[in-house]
């Protein structure tokens, strides 16, 4: 499970790069019940990245759950970026380079809030890290309308395990999927399996159509009622790639796209 104690190697933040910020803000507000706070409306870890950048924060029940910014990188697709907590972003950057990854955004300070960097793994999966200052990350996780899991679709799970194990110190355990195949569960180093926070799924490149075959990370959001949440997705210009369907021992889930084709998963966990 994801928590707000933000141990090293655990998910701590996520933000969406969108071509139309007002449209994205309206979509996620309707689907997940978020409230959008434009930049400058409150304390904002992203503000010093670019004073001209359009964006802000999403809140759920008054607590910050995610960020939103205008997509400015040429050729980039709209997507969620997941950040993992680290104690030293510069040391992590060196580890990324040693392990064959690419530094997309070199470590940089965002005021007193913290220090960030963005990378690609050797197969192209993009992720980021956050070295906390006064801001540790999201204020609400693993509750309705917030981040509850992270997932990598990759063409080579073994290679991904080597890379992320070296860079973030993750531990892995495998489970067999009911329909065949293996799902690799991710746990921060030194923590029990109940603190697992994500998974790795191996898929052939032709199944990764969103990125032209390149691996990618996406967030999983907790939904009280997956089917009702999916109806809000499709009713507000989004679409569904898979589901809703039941996953034994996991819950009811659906893989969704927002109106600009940024992907995310909705999950009603078993027992909810």
């Amino acid at each position: 499970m994801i928590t707000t104690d933000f141990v090293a190697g655990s998910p701590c933040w996520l933000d969406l790069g969108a071509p139309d910020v007002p449209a994205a803000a309206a979509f996620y507000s309707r689907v997940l019940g978020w409230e959008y706070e434009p930049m400058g409306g409150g304390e904002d870890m992203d503000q010093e990245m670019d004073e001209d950048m359009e964006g802000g924060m999403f809140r759920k029940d008054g607590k910050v759950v995610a960020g939103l910014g205008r997509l400015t990188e040429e050729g980039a697709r709209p997507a969620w970026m997941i950040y993992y907590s680290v104690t030293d972003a510069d040391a992590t950057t060196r580890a990324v380079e040693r392990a064959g990854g690419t530094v997309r955004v070199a470590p940089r300070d965002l005021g007193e809030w913290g220090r960030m960097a963005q990378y690609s793994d050797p197969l192209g999966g993009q992720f980021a890290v956050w070295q906390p200052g006064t801001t540790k990350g999201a204020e609400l996780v693993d509750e309705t309308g917030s981040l509850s899991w992270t997932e990598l679709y990759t063409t080579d799970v073994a290679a991904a395990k080597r890379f992320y194990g070296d860079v973030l110190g993750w531990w892995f355990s495998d489970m067999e999927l009911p329909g065949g195949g293996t799902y690799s569960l991710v746990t921060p180093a030194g923590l029990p399996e109940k603190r697992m926070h994500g998974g790795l799924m191996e898929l052939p490149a032709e199944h990764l159509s969103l990125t032209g075959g390149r691996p990618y990370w996406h967030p999983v959001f907790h939904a009280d009622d997956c089917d009702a949440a999916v109806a809000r997705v499709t009713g507000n210009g989004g679409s569904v790639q898979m589901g809703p369907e039941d996953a034994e021992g996991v819950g009811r889930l659906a893989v969704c796209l927002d109106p600009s084709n940024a992907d995310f998963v909705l999950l009603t966990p078993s027992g909810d």
Side-chain angles (χ1 to χ4, degrees):
M1 75 182 180
I2 297 175
T3 75
T4 54
D5 62 3
F6 304 122
V7 299
S10 65
C12 63
W13 182 247
L14 73 164
D15 55 38
L16 173 67
D20 186 332
V21 166
F27 174 81
Y28 287 96
S29 295
R30 293 166 184 156
V31 171
L32 293 172
W34 290 350
E35 298 173 355
Y36 178 61
E37 181 179 279
M39 193 173 293
E43 185 171 308
D44 177 0
M45 74 169 69
D46 286 327
Q47 189 168 4
E48 291 202 356
M49 287 183 68
D50 186 342
E51 290 293 339
D52 296 324
M53 181 186 290
E54 180 186 6
M57 294 288 168
F58 285 116
R59 293 181 182 270
K60 174 71 174 176
D61 301 328
K63 296 181 178 180
V64 175
V65 291
L68 171 62
R70 182 167 52 87
L71 187 66
T72 57
E73 183 180 347
E74 186 174 352
R77 77 177 184 98
W80 284 97
M81 179 68 70
I82 300 171
Y83 292 70
Y84 296 95
S85 187
V86 296
T87 56
D88 186 333
D90 295 273
T92 302
T93 297
R94 293 190 291 272
V96 165
E97 293 173 326
R98 286 195 303 271
T102 302
V103 179
R104 300 182 62 250
V105 178
R108 61 186 299 183
D109 290 324
L110 301 184
E112 64 183 5
W113 299 300
R115 190 164 173 80
M116 62 80 69
Q118 293 185 2
Y119 315 108
S120 294
D121 68 30
L123 295 172
Q126 296 180 0
F127 68 106
V129 298
W130 179 251
Q131 177 185 329
T134 58
T135 299
K136 292 185 176 181
E139 297 171 350
L140 183 71
V141 294
D142 222 23
E143 300 286 345
T144 300
S146 67
L147 181 68
S148 63
W149 193 253
T150 65
E151 190 168 62
L152 174 67
Y153 287 169
T154 182
T155 52
D156 190 336
V157 163
K161 285 180 177 180
R162 288 193 297 271
F163 175 81
Y164 290 102
D166 288 344
V167 170
L168 294 173
W170 288 348
W171 292 357
F172 303 96
S173 57
D174 292 341
M175 60 176 285
E176 297 302 314
L177 296 173
T182 302
Y183 192 82
S184 297
L185 301 161
V186 179
T187 304
L191 294 185
E193 283 195 353
K194 69 179 181 179
R195 283 294 307 273
M196 61 182 61
H197 59 72
L200 313 179
M201 170 81 80
E202 185 164 306
L203 294 170
E206 56 267 28
H207 288 188
L208 305 178
S209 58
L210 287 177
T211 56
R214 175 175 56 79
Y216 59 91
W217 285 95
H218 56 213
V220 178
F221 298 119
H222 185 294
D224 274 347
D225 184 329
C226 182
D227 294 74
V230 166
R232 294 192 295 271
V233 168
T234 56
N236 287 284
S239 58
V240 179
Q241 287 191 303
M242 184 191 77
E245 62 183 43
D246 294 320
E248 185 179 352
V250 177
R252 189 161 177 81
L253 58 84
V255 181
C256 303
L257 301 175
D258 71 15
S260 63
N261 284 339
D263 57 302
F264 61 97
V265 175
L266 296 169
L267 170 66
T268 301
S270 300
D272 272 27

